[in-house]
Amino acid sequence: MVNGLTFSVHLLLACSAADFMATRVWGKTTIGVLALLIQGFLLMWTAARYDRRADQRVVPQEQELDY
C-alpha cells in the first residue's frame, strides 16, 4: 500500500509538475531524483519489514510439524 501510494504520487508529479520535479536542490540533483531515491529506500525498507514478519509467522508453524 505504501509503495503503491508513493509510486502514484511520484508518477502524478512527474506527469503534471515537470518543472517542479526538475528544480535543482543541490548541484545537479533535482527534486525528481531525490523523490526517486526516497521511493527506492521506502521500497527496500517495507520489503525488509515484510520479510522479517513473514519469517516470524512461518517459524511457529514449522515447529508444530516437528514431532
Side-chain angles (χ1 to χ4, degrees):
M1 175 107 171
V2 173
N3 294 326
L5 182 65
T6 57
F7 177 73
S8 300
V9 169
H10 191 197
L11 187 63
L12 180 68
L13 285 172
C15 292
S16 62
D19 292 336
F20 171 70
M21 296 293 271
T23 304
R24 291 182 186 241
V25 177
W26 178 59
K28 291 188 176 186
T29 306
T30 62
I31 291 176
V33 170
L34 290 177
L36 186 62
L37 290 172
I38 291 169
Q39 183 181 354
F41 171 76
L42 224 93
L43 176 71
M44 298 304 258
W45 182 67
T46 54
R49 284 193 63 191
Y50 175 79
D51 284 344
R52 196 175 317 130
R53 283 194 179 179
D55 286 343
Q56 289 174 356
R57 290 182 182 157
V58 170
V59 170
Q61 291 174 355
E62 290 177 355
Q63 290 175 353
E64 289 175 6
L65 294 177
D66 295 336
Y67 290 60

